[in-house]
Amino acid sequence: MTLNKEQFLKELLSDPELYFKHCLKIEKFGDKKLIPFTLNPIQRILHSVAEQMLKEKGHIRIIVLKARREGVSTYIQGRFFMKTATNFHRRTHICTDQLETTNIMFNMARIMELNYPEDLKPEIYYSGKRELKWGSKEGGGLQSTYGLSTAGGGEVRGHAIDYLHCSEVAGWGVGASEYATGLINNVVQGYNTEIWLESTAKGVGGYYHDEFMRA
């Protein structure tokens, strides 16, 4: 990357909304047409809350009770993609309630990667069914990873995580507390880490309801 490109990327990263719009593409609901990722009002609220928490606490711990089609998951995906694809040695993990949702999430990330501006795109050496790895096999480049799993699996046990997104947690079932706790314990303690728990409502009781009320 030339100095001019580095300066341009630095300018984009200083304004995440500009970065999202310039660098990331998402599928428009309905016709699936690729469009720039422009924040809607709900996403702007989330962004404002997250940035204020990051400024005050040095890390992010957020739980969101959401309605459908507000773009909460899309915002978190875009936020984590930006942080992982532009920083060295970062590990992002997204865990969803079921395989179909996991595949949808990964398709969103793959669309972002495939349509990333060529002049800013970092080197990528692995793109699997549920994982993207930026860098080179020789150890150069970003050496950052973006992975996904379905609740109840053992894919991430023992791995350090910088950015964790737990999606539709109310649908994780009877083992939700144990699995979510295991994931959260993998999050690196220290500056700039993020944990987001989100879900649509699925009635009273259970891990997500208890965590939301506790928060």
Side-chain angles (χ1 to χ4, degrees), residues 62-64 66 72-73 76-77 80 92-97 101 105 147 149 151 156 161 163-172 176-177 179-185 187 194-200 207-208:
I62 289 179
I63 186 167
V64 183
K66 65 180 186 179
V72 172
S73 293
I76 302 171
Q77 285 269 80
F80 283 8
T92 286
H93 193 82
I94 290 88
C95 184
T96 74
D97 59 329
T101 309
M105 288 280 199
S149 68
V156 295
I161 299 172
Y163 311 119
L164 175 64
H165 174 193
C166 298
S167 181
E168 292 296 345
V169 182
W172 282 21
S177 177
Y179 194 70
T181 299
L183 285 171
I184 290 169
N185 285 341
V187 176
E194 301 193 15
I195 300 174
W196 293 70
L197 275 65
E198 49 85 355
S199 187
T200 48
Y207 171 75
Y208 179 79

Side-chain angles (χ1 to χ4, degrees), residues 48-207:
S48 176
V49 169
E51 291 301 298
Q52 186 64 29
M53 182 178 290
L54 189 61
K55 180 179 179 181
E56 293 177 355
K57 298 179 178 291
H59 63 249
I60 289 174
R61 305 291 187 264
I62 289 179
I63 186 167
V64 183
L65 178 62
K66 65 180 186 179
R68 295 191 181 277
R69 305 302 175 192
E70 289 183 334
V72 172
S73 293
T74 301
Y75 169 73
I76 302 171
Q77 285 269 80
R79 180 182 182 88
F80 283 8
F81 189 97
M82 176 185 72
K83 289 178 174 288
T84 313
T86 60
N87 288 290
F88 292 94
H89 306 292
R90 302 298 170 89
R91 183 177 179 87
T92 286
H93 193 82
I94 290 88
C95 184
T96 74
D97 59 329
Q98 55 186 327
L99 180 59
E100 181 182 0
T101 309
T102 302
N103 292 336
I104 291 172
M105 288 280 199
F106 190 67
N107 183 60
M108 192 185 303
R110 192 182 294 280
I111 287 172
M112 291 177 182
E113 197 282 322
L114 290 175
N115 294 278
Y116 203 79
E118 287 295 332
D119 56 342
L120 299 177
K121 184 177 287 189
E123 181 180 6
I124 188 167
Y125 74 83
Y126 180 75
S127 178
K129 291 183 178 180
R130 298 189 188 182
E131 190 173 48
L132 298 173
K133 291 184 178 181
W134 286 280
S136 67
K137 293 182 179 179
E138 294 74 27
L142 295 180
Q143 294 298 306
S144 292
T145 304
Y146 191 103
L148 293 93
S149 68
T150 304
E155 297 96 328
V156 295
R157 297 303 172 95
H159 291 291
I161 299 172
D162 297 288
Y163 311 119
L164 175 64
H165 174 193
C166 298
S167 181
E168 292 296 345
V169 182
W172 282 21
V174 294
S177 177
E178 179 182 356
Y179 194 70
T181 299
L183 285 171
I184 290 169
N185 285 341
N186 285 333
V187 176
V188 179
Q189 296 299 312
Y191 181 71
N192 205 33
T193 60
E194 301 193 15
I195 300 174
W196 293 70
L197 275 65
E198 49 85 355
S199 187
T200 48
K202 293 186 183 299
V204 175
Y207 171 75

Side-chain angles (χ1 to χ4, degrees), residues 25-41:
K25 293 288 194 300
I26 61 173
E27 286 186 342
K28 182 180 179 182
F29 179 67
D31 61 12
K32 295 186 179 297
K33 179 182 178 182
L34 291 184
I35 58 173
F37 178 30
T38 303
L39 298 187
N40 64 32

